Amino acid sequence: MGLPLLAGVLAGDPEAGALACLGAYVGAFTNKGGPQRQRTAGLAVAGVVNALAFWAGELATGLSLLALALLMVLVFLATMGEAVHGTVARLGTMPATALLAGAGQSGSGPSGGMLRAALLVLAGGLWYAAATGVLTPAPRLRSVLATIAEPYREASRRLIWIAACSSRDGSGASMISALRRAERTALTLHGPGGDEGLAAGVDPLLHQADLLADLIAALAQGTPPPPVRRQFIAAAQALANHLAQTARQLARPGSTAPVPDTTRVLKNLTLACDAMRSRTALGQEPYAMLARAGRQRRLLERIYTAALTAHRQARTLAATASTQLHPAPQRKIRFDAARLRAAMTLNSSAYRHALRVTAVCAVVFTAVTATGLPHGEWATLAVLRVLRPQYGTTLERAGQRIAGNLIGGTCAALLIAGVKNPAALAVLLFAIISAGFALRPVNYAFWVVFGTPLVLLIGDVAQPGDWTSALERIAMTVLGSAAALLGGYLLWPAWDHDRLAQHTNQATQTAATYLDAALHLLTDPNASPPDPARRAAEEGLAKAQATRRHADREPGRNIEALEDTSTTLTALASLIEYIGALSAHATPDAALIPGLADYRIHACAYLTASQPDERPTHTQALTDTLDAMRLYLAQLYTQRLEELPKHQRDNTRARGEVRDNEPVIGLLVDIAACITRIPHSMP
């Protein structure tokens, strides 16, 4: 993007360089990745379409009705997206942006100057397409491995928090999110352009990461007893370093940092547990505390085994990190009149949003054109960037755009006032472009902070002006953002607080299905793993949490209902983690736990109860089954204490049942306490 600008400055025609830079700029937003040939062809098409839209905007300058009609058509097509055609979806709002840029261009002069400006925009777009095709390296396995490293890095962080007994440990949501992103990325290896041999090496790493998520979730339940706390902390920290080294091995193949000596600290923990067992045999320690210490030691040992296996797999796979991948062609969505007619109904949220954006853009464009406000196209651009399908998201976007424009526009005004040399501005733009596009995926506000001075400085190179023009454009951005908020409020508003109850109930239902599948696996080891139910529960919870965040910003929201929803979603997040931890303890001995079948029936029925008066029955039934489980565990403790003096290390029946079933019963108690905190489903 920056090279055309620099070339124009060096050639003594900075305006030409700025126009070519503008063509590359709008083309960059249509870069959706994919195979090299398909990506380059798509960018070339975008360059041509954007240049034509820019030219149309120049020709329509002074012809308000024509410019308005073209703008409405382009905005409507952009917001309908894939319902029209795949290319329309890829182009997005960039043709409308180019049209507004052309309409705001005041220095092209007669028709020859207009054509020259449009050709320069075309040259910039085609340059970007060609440069991207040549300079973008072919995707390699290294890019996949960097994403797969993230769950291991998050696992390392969480172990550190557990070792420090930190409340920041939370629910492990960041690790689960990283794991799901890694799974989606790894799917490229199974696609038509993937490599099944490489996929066979990546899949075991994902399996180990899944296992680590469950084991660490189980480890997070409860703190280590004081007699072994120091050894527990040392072992957890060593394992965290081990997992961090595995993440580095994946993200940076060839790294040679030594693996921490985890066997020594685990041996120290084992010795501390043995000493605690001897004291328990003498009646100096309660057996329940010894059982808890033994459970956490075994979990750390299993984490070590999984970490060691993952490290070996990562080391083997890292040797092929430079292997080139061949992405599958993107799905082509062609024009389908029947699909478009089906989408163009007021029952379709996409169609209502398209009408909303088109109407608000038309009103704002007409208003700024009729009043002759300077840089009025920025108000219409703000509507395009701010107005979203949901009002809560629109409100968030408006705040980010206004704040970003105030900061970025002020900085641009200072640069315009203080830097008069086009070459110096071109160098500054290199830095701004790099920072803006690097931070764009992080947060929209960051992008606006850098994107605003980027566009302002490009315009200043093309048509040098004074710093007050930056302030005028900030004012237009505020105007457009306010219009977007008003239009989103008045025209077919889509309220997240109206959908909150539905999404929360759906999340509760999917969590109940996941719980039922996990409890079924406890009673029947031959049952299918609950992985699909787990994915559905995680997706349902994430959807409800996003709706809750957006609803919190909306006017007219019910504060009490939002608080109830927050309670429900917090409980569901804990419930999903407890269920994941439960799967780490699934053994055939779980079938010996009394009342497990009744627990499964009433726990799931409590979550899915349609009437609030049904829940007391299920609550009482859960209390009865848990009492029976606690009595069973107390009897095992007594039996084990009696045999402990003579059979400290012998694997007796009582010791085996305590080892396998004590953590299961503890988690069942936690799950019951968690689900009874969930309010009755909202209508």
Side-chain angles (χ1 to χ4, degrees):
M1 285 174 53
L3 283 175
L5 182 62
L6 184 59
V9 171
L10 294 176
D13 191 352
E15 180 181 358
L19 288 168
C21 183
L22 177 65
Y25 172 81
V26 292
F29 287 93
T30 65
N31 189 348
K32 307 299 183 184
Q36 183 184 43
R37 182 177 299 178
Q38 188 179 27
R39 179 185 67 236
T40 305
L43 290 174
V45 170
V48 173
V49 173
N50 291 333
L52 289 173
F54 181 88
W55 189 32
E58 287 188 301
L59 293 174
T61 301
L63 303 174
S64 302
L65 291 179
L66 177 59
L68 177 62
L70 290 173
L71 176 67
M72 292 177 66
V73 170
L74 291 176
V75 170
F76 181 80
L77 291 176
T79 45
M80 288 300 291
E82 290 186 354
V84 181
H85 195 278
T87 300
V88 172
R90 185 172 64 249
L91 292 173
T93 60
M94 286 305 106
T97 301
L99 177 79
L100 291 168
Q105 183 77 8
S106 59
S108 299
S111 58
M114 293 182 183
L115 180 60
R116 175 179 179 273
L119 290 175
L120 286 168
V121 172
L122 173 63
L126 294 179
W127 153 254
Y128 179 81
T132 302
V134 173
L135 299 177
T136 302
R140 299 184 181 276
L141 182 62
R142 182 180 290 106
S143 60
V144 176
L145 294 183
T147 307
I148 294 174
E150 282 303 311
Y152 289 93
R153 189 171 290 111
E154 291 296 334
S156 171
R157 290 171 182 158
R158 194 170 186 207
L159 273 178
I160 291 173
W161 295 337
I162 290 173
C165 299
S166 170
S167 59
R168 290 180 62 198
D169 166 53
S171 63
S174 58
M175 182 178 177
I176 296 300
S177 298
L179 182 56
R180 300 301 166 242
R181 287 194 300 271
E183 289 174 344
R184 290 192 293 269
T185 300
L187 283 176
T188 58
L189 299 176
H190 291 278
D195 187 316
E196 287 296 331
L198 294 175
V202 168
D203 288 345
L205 278 166
L206 293 175
H207 172 72
Q208 294 300 326
D210 239 331
L211 177 60
L212 283 166
D214 290 343
L215 291 172
I216 294 174
L219 187 68
Q221 312 309 317
T223 56
V228 299
R229 183 169 298 162
R230 180 172 57 83
Q231 293 84 358
F232 171 87
I233 291 173
Q237 290 175 339
L239 284 170
N241 292 335
H242 194 146
L243 290 171
Q245 174 58 21
T246 301
R248 283 192 291 272
Q249 182 74 49
L250 289 167
R252 297 195 296 270
S255 57
T256 56
V259 178
D261 184 10
T262 311
T263 55
R264 179 180 56 81
V265 291
L266 285 175
K267 184 178 180 181
N268 291 340
L269 178 60
T270 301
L271 293 174
C273 288
D274 289 344
M276 192 176 176
R277 186 183 297 111
S278 298
R279 292 194 299 273
T280 303
L282 297 174
Q284 297 173 354
E285 301 276 9
Y287 185 74
M289 187 180 292
L290 174 64
R292 179 152 50 99
R295 174 175 68 87
Q296 294 189 316
R297 175 182 59 80
R298 288 188 294 273
L299 285 170
L300 287 172
E301 289 173 345
R302 292 178 64 186
I303 291 172
Y304 171 64
T305 301
L308 193 62
T309 303
H311 190 80
R312 291 168 180 165
Q313 293 168 343
R315 188 168 51 196
T316 301
L317 198 57
T320 61
S322 60
T323 302
Q324 181 176 334
L325 301 178
H326 303 280
Q330 295 176 338
R331 182 171 62 98
K332 293 184 178 181
I333 303 174
R334 303 186 183 281
F335 176 75
D336 186 336
R339 181 184 66 227
L340 182 59
R341 284 195 302 271
M344 292 178 66
T345 169
L346 288 178
N347 293 325
S348 167
S349 60
Y351 182 61
R352 292 197 304 271
H353 179 59
L355 292 177
R356 183 189 305 120
V357 178
T358 304
V360 177
C361 282
V363 170
V364 171
F365 182 82
T366 301
V368 297
T369 302
T371 56
L373 291 174
H375 306 295
E377 70 276 4
W378 275 60
T380 310
L381 281 172
V383 174
L384 280 176
R385 301 292 180 266
V386 168
L387 195 50
R388 302 290 99 183
Q390 283 77 41
Y391 190 80
T393 313
T394 300
L395 190 61
E396 177 186 26
R397 201 72 176 255
Q400 291 174 332
R401 189 161 188 89
I402 291 173
N405 266 274
L406 286 173
I407 298 171
T410 302
C411 294
L414 295 174
L415 289 173
I416 291 171
V419 182
K420 300 299 184 181
N421 188 329
L425 285 176
V427 173
L428 281 172
L429 279 168
F430 267 90
I432 294 172
I433 289 170
S434 299
F437 276 88
L439 293 174
R440 183 184 169 205
V442 177
N443 189 290
Y444 179 71
F446 289 151
W447 161 248
V448 178
V449 167
F450 287 93
T452 299
L454 169 61
V455 177
L456 289 174
L457 292 178
I458 290 175
D460 187 60
V461 172
Q463 300 170 11
D466 58 64
W467 60 273
T468 57
S469 64
L471 302 183
E472 293 169 351
R473 298 181 195 195
I474 292 174
M476 290 299 99
T477 295
V478 174
L479 174 64
S481 299
L485 288 173
L486 183 62
Y489 184 83
L490 296 177
L491 300 176
W492 306 287
W495 302 112
D496 276 298
H497 60 249
D498 288 342
R499 289 185 293 275
L500 187 56
Q502 176 190 355
H503 291 175
T504 303
N505 289 338
Q506 288 174 350
T508 305
Q509 295 290 329
T510 55
T513 302
Y514 179 30
L515 176 60
D516 183 69
L519 292 174
H520 185 204
L521 186 64
L522 280 181
T523 56
D524 181 7
N526 296 321
S528 300
D531 292 342
R534 177 177 184 167
R535 303 292 190 278
E538 291 170 352
E539 291 171 2
L541 176 63
K543 184 178 181 180
Q545 288 173 331
T547 305
R548 165 66 180 79
R549 287 194 302 272
H550 295 154
D552 195 34
R553 307 185 188 99
E554 294 177 342
R557 60 193 182 279
N558 186 328
I559 302 299
E560 184 178 350
L562 289 176
E563 291 176 352
D564 287 344
T565 301
S566 294
T567 301
T568 299
L569 296 180
T570 300
L572 287 176
S574 299
L575 176 61
I576 290 172
E577 180 164 22
Y578 286 144
I579 300 171
L582 192 66
S583 64
H585 294 293
T587 64
D589 281 347
L592 300 174
I593 299 175
L596 190 56
D598 289 340
Y599 181 97
R600 176 188 173 193
I601 293 171
H602 291 286
C604 298
Y606 182 96
L607 287 171
T608 57
S610 57
Q611 299 297 328
D613 56 3
E614 298 176 16
R615 289 191 162 183
T617 302
H618 301 307
T619 302
Q620 185 59 49
L622 285 175
T623 301
D624 293 341
T625 56
L626 290 175
D627 287 343
M629 292 177 189
R630 291 189 185 98
L631 179 60
Y632 158 76
L633 193 58
Q635 291 170 345
L636 287 176
Y637 284 166
T638 301
Q639 183 178 347
R640 179 58 181 157
L641 272 174
E642 291 174 352
E643 65 186 25
L644 194 58
K646 294 183 178 180
H647 305 283
Q648 282 198 26
R649 295 181 175 277
D650 294 343
N651 192 23
T652 64
R653 183 190 65 80
R655 183 186 182 189
E657 288 190 45
V658 170
R659 180 181 63 238
D660 292 340
N661 293 341
E662 183 262 348
V664 172
I665 293 172
L667 283 167
L668 293 178
V669 171
D670 291 336
I671 288 172
C674 186
I675 64 176
T676 52
R677 294 199 307 270
I678 297 176
H680 181 258
S681 298
M682 293 172 284

